[in-house]
Amino acid sequence: MLNMLDNNFLFFDGAMGTMLQQSGLKTGELPEELNISNPEIIYNIHKKYVNAGVDIITANTFGANRLKFKDSAHTAEEIITAGVRIAKQSIEGLNNKYVALDIGPIGTLLSPLGTLSFDEAYDIFKEQILAGVKAGADIILFETMTDIYELKAAILAAKENTHLPIFSTMSFQDNGRTFTGTDVATFVSVVEGLGVDVLGVNCSLGPNALQPIVDALIKYSSTPIMVQANAGLPKYKNGISYYDIDPDEYSHEINTMAKKGVAILGGCCGTTPEYISSIINSLDGLKPVAISKKHYTSTSSSSKTVFIGDEVKIIGERINPTGKKMLKEALRDNDLDYVIREAIAQQDTGSDILDVNVGLPDIDEKEMMIKIVTELQGVISLPLQIDSSNSDVIEAAVRIYNGKPIINSVNGKKESMDAILPIVKKYGTLVVALTLDEEGIPKTAEKRLAIASNIINTAKEYGIAEENILIDPLVLTASAEQAAVMETLKAIPLIKNKYNVKIVLGTSNVSFGLPNRKLLNTTYLSIALGYGLDAPITDSTNEALMGVIKSFKVIANQDIDSKDYIEAYSNVTTESTRINSNGDLKEIIIRGLKDEATKASKELLNQYTPLDLVNEFMIPALDIVGEKYEKQEIFLPQLIRSAETSKLVFEKIKEMTLKDGSEVIDSNKILLATVKGDIHDIGKNIVKLILENYGYKIFDLGKDVDIDQILETVQKENISLVGLSALMTTTVKNMELTIKALKATSPQTKIMVGGAVLTPDYASKIGADYYSKDARGAVDIAREVFSK
Amino acid sequence: MRVNNLKNNDINIDIAEALRYLGYKSKEIDDETYKSLNESVAELQEISELKYVYRIIDINKKVDNYISFAEEINIKSHDLANLFKNCDKAAVLATTIGFEVEKRIRYYGMTNLSKSIVFDACAAAYIEALCDYIEEEIRELAAKEGCSITYRYSPGYGDVPLFHQAEILRALNAEKLIGLSALDTSLLVPRKSVTAFIGFNKTNEIYKKSCLDCTFYNNCSFTREGGKPCAKYAR
């Protein structure tokens, strides 16, 4: 069917909902029910579109998923089977007509914005796809999608369960983004990587307002493009909604799109057979404009796409436990906050992409990688580079990644290519290719080129384009192999002249074993950039290295008008009015002077033991803060600022004790969680922070937490106090279930609860041992529990 | 039906309202909080996407403890039937300040808790102000028909169960039109969103909601003398 596009446009039908409303369907009803309750009405609508001349009939299955139909008399499968059958009947006996299984959004959002897991979403789509394929659909159409993560689950479900062509559209607003924030470049980068056959835009706007979206699609896409616009904006009159653009104006705009390169055309809300025949007539005698192949090297998060090649991009290297005691400790302790802070520090200092490596001998790398990637993609807008030596870990992470990640890495060994390249192809990622093979790291630039060629050619056999490969020519250590150091750099132009690949390089190993490493590293980095390095894998929190990159961008005419450079170095003096605390730690905590906490505690740790610091400075300061809060001399933001300041002191203490191996302060354990179904966590986070201040070790399971996960952690960590939070009347039910389960499995564990809709009475009714109205109350409860 | 996007500076964020959500009882604000409030307001004005949709819908059945809106939304409720006893129609509305705010609240929750609560309070004040704006638009529509309007009534108030959020969203096609959906626990996503009814009162009665009417009166830290009700459900 797609071969037809060489000479013909493909025409989809227009709206189903609009036609049904004209037939008297109410807005609140499930329109797919009609496939069974009134098939004639659906058949007649299809037939009108067939008579208007469309090539593809969209089955009436948009919302037929198990969640939307949970209260219906029919299953989603029955609805889909009937819907596809009716659509097939409408084209019976006609040549070159097709039926699309129509699949819209599930109707509830995926985690972390909502509570549906990626795997659940996948299962829901899989069920729809299997039913549609069985009923004889010719095309899988995902449309009106607004969440790229949900769309990724849908496309994977299609790819893994059918060979039918996949058409996929999202709905964009006039700011160029979907409701959840995906822009056109990101949409194309992700779904083209996943290998859809047609991509495009539908719904949301009229055809005129969609023109800029169409322009962007044409700019980025190498895949045929489809458009199904609304007939303008919705109006409502006498109980009937209607749209404000007539068929003539509509087809005029669509005609413009077709001439730009859109080849698959149809309608969305408000369009009728009249609109569609008007389009078909207006394109009579014209042929589609072929879509040109683009060769961008792009990696994407859900909301941001980074193009590698035009200017230097920085891949942040800090989330890697090698040689980092604090990070190792954080990973072993499941302290995700620490990892997130590392990520944010890199984002704030100019990293464009973050490398994520969590390989440690004594942890489950796959489980940890999934956990960290899930957390990071909910908070950080930068694309991630999944770094592991284990292909299982890589596949698990890129599968659940919300975007188009980079895989780090493949190399020239056959075994590595056999394991990694299929993953690169299937998930449409970028991949870092190391120039080493069975014989190790080569000595010469030419041999590096040879290995790169081998990897590039093998990748092509898998259908991976050159632009999706990043070659790492591997730096050598000057102290060990000085004669070969320049060979790495010489390989860069050799490789780039021959292939459309980009170059990445970790640079800090060059100085290993020599004094003043900073000097060698910055010099090496600047030479590498001069040789054509596109994306250094480096530490953006290091000012010296960033200085090299920023100045290089000026010299290479990448930082136009030296804007970023001037902003970074013109010595803008701000916040000079900040009051100095004279270094008194108590005062620093009481006034919440976060910027001064680390320095002051570092100095005090020269004179005091960690325990004395806590008892003589921190606790007294926190008590004063608590009193002031009780007396309403200060309010919540100040209380929290003090607590955050005090937490910084704690961290300094921890860093110190890890460094010199002295005894870590032993602490009582408390588990905190927002219950299943609830996504409010500010209250829980406040409680956590305050409890941490009083020295408790917190196991924070986050929000929307499964009961089983709470039970497991309580048993595994032998936890004697659990704090649960719920903010809604509807989720207090899950709190009650959690308490019941806990009481059954760990009867000794005490449970405290809190949240806006709870009262002391209600708390005791659902079986909680304690109720607290705020974080101070939680501290009192903890003291009571642990004094027994 | 009316679907509309507003420009972010069409609506002002009331800092006094945000301070009230933060529990401030005094007028004195420390410098850091003041700075944080102003930064939050500026950020919200930049990233929010103010959207709303409403329909004026007939109340086709109303008895002592049951009310039906065009048979599309059917609610067992004494409180709402009573509030709307002099109404034959009502506005059903859904509104949101968008996903970017939702993401930013998460971001600050992970990175800077003191900022996150200030930001959250300002966002709550913003959606509340947006509701007030829509309410004025609806008040004018009602006035043209010689009606006053009742105060806003949302699922979760009084005896109206939260699960009716889903019916309201469906009746307004809100997922497609403004990107608003609900979890199975009836929580709206993005969270800084509201669904509500506003009755068209034929007798022109003037409503003034008092905290004393609220089911949370005894368990609320936001109560205050007179004025409009809190935005508890806007959060």
Side-chain angles (χ1 to χ4, degrees):
Chain A
M1 159 209 340
L2 291 167
N3 296 335
M4 284 169 61
L5 287 173
D6 292 342
N7 293 307
N8 302 287
F9 291 100
L10 272 180
F11 296 105
F12 263 88
D13 47 7
M16 171 61 74
T18 304
M19 298 292 284
L20 286 173
Q21 268 183 31
Q22 288 178 6
S23 321
L25 181 84
K26 291 216 170 64
T27 335
E29 289 174 35
L30 290 169
E32 296 86 2
E33 295 265 12
L34 295 170
N35 293 348
I36 289 170
S37 64
N38 195 347
E40 293 78 27
I41 196 173
I42 304 295
Y43 176 84
N44 288 335
I45 293 169
H46 286 332
K47 205 70 203 174
K48 282 181 190 158
Y49 281 118
V50 171
N51 292 338
V54 306
D55 303 298
I56 299 166
I57 285 291
T58 310
N60 183 35
T61 54
F62 180 83
N65 67 56
R66 75 165 98 119
L67 288 190
K68 283 190 179 162
F69 276 75
K70 67 177 192 295
D71 299 325
S72 163
H74 306 286
T75 64
E77 189 182 354
E78 287 163 1
I79 298 285
I80 289 170
T81 307
V84 172
R85 188 178 56 229
I86 302 165
K88 282 174 77 84
Q89 282 163 1
S90 75
I91 56 167
E92 217 161 58
L94 300 167
N95 287 331
N96 295 330
K97 305 272 178 207
Y98 308 94
V99 168
L101 170 68
D102 190 24
I103 299 180
I106 292 170
T108 187
L109 279 156
L110 268 68
S111 181
L113 292 169
T115 54
L116 196 69
S117 77
F118 186 78
D119 291 342
E120 284 172 292
Y122 176 94
D123 283 342
I124 290 168
F125 287 124
K126 180 180 168 181
E127 191 175 82
Q128 290 172 272
I129 289 159
L130 289 177
V133 171
K134 200 171 150 198
D138 305 301
I139 293 168
I140 311 291
L141 170 66
F142 300 116
E143 55 138 327
T144 327
M145 291 288 181
T146 59
D147 179 3
I148 189 85
Y149 201 28
E150 184 178 348
L151 181 55
K152 179 168 176 175
I155 294 170
L156 283 174
K159 293 229 83 119
E160 292 173 0
N161 294 287
T162 165
H163 296 294
L164 294 180
I166 301 169
F167 290 36
S168 160
T169 61
M170 292 191 93
S171 172
F172 292 89
Q173 310 172 79
D174 51 9
N175 65 5
R177 290 182 181 271
T178 68
F179 286 132
T180 61
T182 297
D183 59 4
V184 175
T186 299
F187 163 61
V188 174
S189 162
V190 174
V191 303
E192 206 165 63
L194 290 168
V196 300
D197 299 281
V198 170
L199 57 80
V201 54
N202 79 319
C203 205
S204 65
L205 299 168
N208 184 19
L210 276 188
Q211 296 290 2
I213 308 284
V214 168
D215 294 339
L217 283 168
I218 288 166
K219 179 174 175 195
Y220 296 113
S221 178
S222 309
T223 305
I225 297 169
M226 74 183 278
V227 174
Q228 293 186 292
N230 287 350
L233 293 169
K235 305 273 150 94
Y236 215 72
K237 210 172 185 181
N238 304 326
I240 300 281
S241 64
Y242 71 98
Y243 286 76
D244 62 359
I245 290 185
D246 66 27
D248 278 350
E249 193 182 342
Y250 189 86
S251 64
H252 176 77
E253 294 286 346
I254 299 293
N255 195 290
T256 310
M257 292 179 188
K259 286 174 183 158
K260 287 176 182 172
V262 178
I264 300 106
L265 301 154
C268 203
C269 306
T271 59
T272 60
E274 227 188 318
Y275 286 78
I276 303 299
S277 46
S278 174
I279 301 175
I280 294 174
N281 290 336
S282 85
L283 291 173
D284 192 29
L286 292 177
K287 278 185 180 182
V289 181
I291 287 283
S292 63
K293 289 283 169 215
K294 318 296 188 298
H295 297 284
Y296 298 109
T297 298
S298 65
T299 174
S300 309
S301 68
S302 63
S303 61
K304 188 183 186 122
T305 292
V306 173
F307 294 95
I308 300 174
D310 289 344
E311 58 167 0
V312 177
K313 298 292 177 189
I314 299 160
I315 304 176
E317 67 177 5
R318 289 181 62 86
I319 304 177
N320 187 329
T322 314
K324 294 200 189 76
K325 271 192 178 167
M326 285 288 277
L327 183 58
K328 275 183 193 163
E329 186 71 12
L331 290 174
R332 289 202 186 99
D333 269 6
N334 256 307
D335 180 4
L336 301 188
D337 288 1
Y338 182 85
V339 182
I340 287 167
R341 279 202 305 278
E342 281 285 324
I344 287 177
Q346 295 179 85
Q347 177 168 274
D348 289 349
T349 49
S351 284
D352 298 291
I353 297 159
L354 297 185
D355 187 88
V356 181
N357 181 316
V358 297
L360 273 181
D362 45 358
I363 63 164
D364 181 337
E365 188 188 352
K366 188 158 145 184
E367 191 188 322
M368 182 56 71
M369 180 65 98
I370 289 178
K371 209 182 264 179
I372 301 263
V373 167
T374 305
E375 280 301 319
L376 285 179
Q377 70 189 6
V379 184
I380 300 283
S381 59
L382 304 181
L384 299 183
Q385 171 164 297
I386 309 298
D387 183 356
S388 171
S389 52
N390 181 332
S391 61
D392 272 356
V393 174
I394 288 177
E395 172 152 23
V398 301
R399 184 176 181 86
I400 57 102
Y401 181 63
N402 187 1
K404 175 184 178 182
I406 305 176
I407 289 174
N408 189 9
S409 56
V410 70
N411 61 52
K413 292 180 189 167
K414 183 170 183 305
E415 188 191 9
S416 168
M417 291 193 284
D418 287 349
I420 301 295
L421 293 178
I423 303 172
V424 174
K425 173 62 187 168
K426 177 173 178 188
Y427 297 97
T429 70
L430 297 186
V431 63
V432 173
L434 312 180
T435 55
L436 67 86
D437 61 11
E438 283 81 358
E439 291 162 31
I441 301 177
K443 292 265 182 283
T444 65
E446 288 73 20
K447 189 72 208 300
R448 282 180 166 81
L449 170 64
I451 296 175
S453 299
N454 183 32
I455 299 172
I456 291 164
N457 290 328
T458 311
K460 275 185 195 159
E461 289 167 20
Y462 285 93
I464 300 164
E466 279 178 19
E467 60 262 25
N468 285 324
I469 299 171
L470 308 165
I471 302 288
D472 183 343
L474 294 171
V475 64
L476 292 172
T477 305
S479 60
E481 297 176 83
Q482 190 171 6
V485 168
M486 281 307 287
E487 293 300 310
T488 302
L489 302 180
K490 285 183 197 157
I492 296 175
L494 278 185
I495 295 166
K496 284 179 88 164
N497 286 339
K498 190 153 178 200
Y499 299 104
N500 177 31
V501 295
K502 303 293 179 279
I503 304 292
V504 302
L505 190 61
T507 53
S508 52
N509 274 351
V510 72
S511 61
F512 195 77
L514 289 169
N516 200 348
R517 292 188 64 179
K518 189 163 125 185
L519 185 56
L520 277 169
N521 287 344
T522 48
T523 306
Y524 184 78
L525 176 61
S526 66
I527 302 173
L529 291 170
Y531 268 87
L533 170 60
D534 296 292
I537 303 176
T538 191
D539 180 359
S540 64
T541 68
N542 181 321
E543 283 176 25
L545 292 168
M546 287 305 283
V548 170
I549 293 168
K550 283 185 184 131
S551 46
F552 176 82
K553 283 175 138 181
V554 170
I555 293 160
N557 195 28
Q558 293 177 358
D559 178 4
I560 303 301
D561 297 334
S562 311
K563 210 170 135 242
D564 296 343
Y565 187 86
I566 292 167
E567 197 187 312
Y569 297 112
S570 62
N571 279 328
V572 190
T573 47
T574 51
E575 302 187 31
S576 55
T577 52
R578 192 172 283 280
I579 315 141
N580 201 296
S581 62
N582 299 324
D584 176 357
L585 186 60
K586 257 199 254 180
E587 198 196 332
I588 287 173
I589 292 174
I590 292 168
R591 287 168 55 194
L593 304 171
K594 288 196 248 177
D595 296 345
E596 300 180 31
T598 309
K599 185 163 168 272
S601 45
K602 202 172 158 186
E603 279 162 15
L604 284 174
L605 280 165
N606 291 328
Q607 309 162 38
Y608 295 87
T609 66
L611 199 63
D612 287 345
L613 194 70
V614 172
N615 288 334
E616 287 177 33
F617 292 88
M618 291 177 65
I619 302 287
L622 287 170
D623 283 342
I624 293 170
V625 172
E627 267 169 46
K628 284 179 167 240
Y629 180 68
E630 295 281 309
K631 286 190 201 148
Q632 302 199 343
E633 285 171 19
I634 60 167
F635 298 92
L636 196 58
Q638 291 150 286
L639 175 77
I640 292 174
R641 230 167 17 243
S642 289
E644 287 177 314
T645 309
S646 152
K647 187 175 173 179
L648 291 173
V649 179
F650 253 121
E651 261 158 30
K652 198 70 219 167
I653 293 175
K654 194 173 170 193
E655 200 181 304
M656 206 83 163
T657 49
L658 273 177
K659 215 180 254 170
D660 64 15
S662 66
E663 199 72 6
V664 182
I665 302 165
D666 195 32
S667 38
N668 292 308
K669 298 172 177 177
I670 301 173
L671 181 150
L672 295 179
T674 297
V675 300
K676 184 79 196 153
D678 206 322
I679 54 171
H680 293 92
D681 59 0
I682 290 185
K684 182 216 72 193
N685 290 343
I686 294 173
V687 172
K688 172 187 175 186
L689 178 66
I690 304 289
L691 287 171
E692 278 175 341
N693 270 204
Y694 281 86
Y696 297 103
K697 184 172 169 67
I698 307 301
F699 289 79
D700 177 9
L701 300 190
K703 58 190 170 52
D704 182 31
V705 182
D706 282 327
I707 294 176
D708 285 348
Q709 199 193 343
I710 296 174
L711 301 185
E712 269 167 38
T713 314
V714 164
Q715 297 202 328
K716 191 173 144 211
E717 301 291 343
N718 194 21
I719 284 168
S720 42
L721 179 59
V722 169
L724 298 175
S725 161
L727 209 80
M728 312 280 287
T729 47
T730 43
T731 52
V732 170
K733 186 80 209 151
N734 289 334
M735 179 179 267
E736 187 176 0
L737 293 173
T738 310
I739 294 172
K740 271 209 181 102
L742 265 172
K743 288 290 172 197
T745 54
S746 305
Q748 274 83 39
T749 301
K750 296 292 176 198
I751 301 165
M752 61 176 167
V753 298
V757 294
L758 285 166
T759 60
D761 285 351
Y762 202 78
S764 92
K765 204 180 123 203
I766 61 174
D769 301 296
Y770 299 96
Y771 162 82
S772 175
K773 73 171 172 50
D774 59 19
R776 289 275 294 167
V779 173
D780 294 339
I781 293 166
R783 280 178 167 159
E784 189 186 322
V785 169
F786 291 109
S787 70
K788 279 177 185 163
Chain B
M1 179 177 287
R2 175 165 159 79
V3 189
N4 199 18
N5 298 335
L6 292 177
K7 293 209 182 73
N8 293 356
N9 49 13
D10 289 347
I11 305 234
N12 288 321
I13 300 172
D14 182 353
I15 286 192
E17 190 76 359
L19 281 170
R20 199 165 64 80
Y21 301 150
L22 288 168
Y24 274 79
K25 305 271 199 255
S26 77
K27 289 251 160 65
E28 276 188 33
I29 321 168
D30 63 296
D31 292 349
E32 277 294 315
T33 305
Y34 186 72
K35 196 174 137 217
S36 183
L37 278 165
N38 283 318
E39 282 170 3
S40 297
V41 166
E43 196 174 343
L44 281 161
Q45 299 270 16
E46 191 192 322
I47 63 165
S48 299
E49 293 173 7
L50 311 182
K51 295 174 188 298
Y52 61 90
V53 53
Y54 62 79
R55 263 171 74 190
I56 311 302
I57 192 167
D58 289 339
I59 298 170
N60 59 338
K61 195 174 172 200
K62 191 171 46 188
V63 291
D64 177 41
N65 57 358
Y66 176 87
I67 183 163
S68 172
F69 299 88
E71 286 172 22
E72 288 180 41
I73 307 166
N74 308 304
I75 302 176
K76 269 191 194 156
S77 163
H78 170 76
D79 295 349
L80 191 57
N82 186 46
L83 177 67
F84 284 4
K85 62 177 181 283
N86 293 320
C87 307
D88 290 337
K89 53 170 78 171
V92 186
L93 69 94
T95 178
T96 180
I97 58 174
F99 275 100
E100 212 40 52
V101 176
E102 178 74 22
K103 289 185 188 172
R104 215 58 74 91
I105 290 172
R106 277 183 52 79
Y107 177 81
Y108 287 128
M110 295 283 203
T111 58
N112 186 341
L113 199 54
S114 46
K115 175 77 185 273
S116 92
I117 62 160
V118 171
F119 190 83
D120 189 86
C122 290
Y126 208 4
I127 183 72
E128 185 65 12
L130 176 57
C131 285
D132 290 346
Y133 178 96
I134 303 165
E135 191 171 314
E136 284 315 305
E137 210 174 275
I138 289 167
R139 188 190 307 281
E140 282 172 29
L141 286 180
K144 279 184 201 154
E145 303 187 19
C147 295
S148 66
I149 57 170
T150 67
Y151 52 78
R152 289 199 302 273
Y153 208 91
S154 292
Y157 286 15
D159 62 358
V160 176
L162 269 177
F163 67 77
H164 290 291
Q165 308 256 44
E167 282 164 76
I168 297 176
L169 296 177
R170 203 153 55 222
L172 294 172
N173 199 11
E175 189 186 349
K176 258 192 192 178
L177 294 176
I178 62 168
L180 182 58
S181 64
L183 304 180
D184 57 359
T185 45
S186 298
L187 222 136
L188 294 174
V189 182
R191 278 174 290 171
K192 293 292 180 260
S193 304
V194 169
T195 66
F197 300 97
I198 298 175
F200 283 29
N201 188 305
K202 294 174 293 185
T203 64
N204 259 312
E205 185 182 347
I206 301 301
Y207 293 84
K208 193 173 178 192
K209 193 176 181 185
S210 155
C211 286
L212 293 168
D213 298 335
C214 180
T215 39
F216 283 97
Y217 183 67
N218 291 319
N219 188 36
C220 176
S221 38
F222 305 113
T223 46
R224 60 174 178 184
E225 303 290 317
K228 59 198 171 82
C230 77
K232 186 160 215 150
Y233 299 94
R235 297 189 306 148

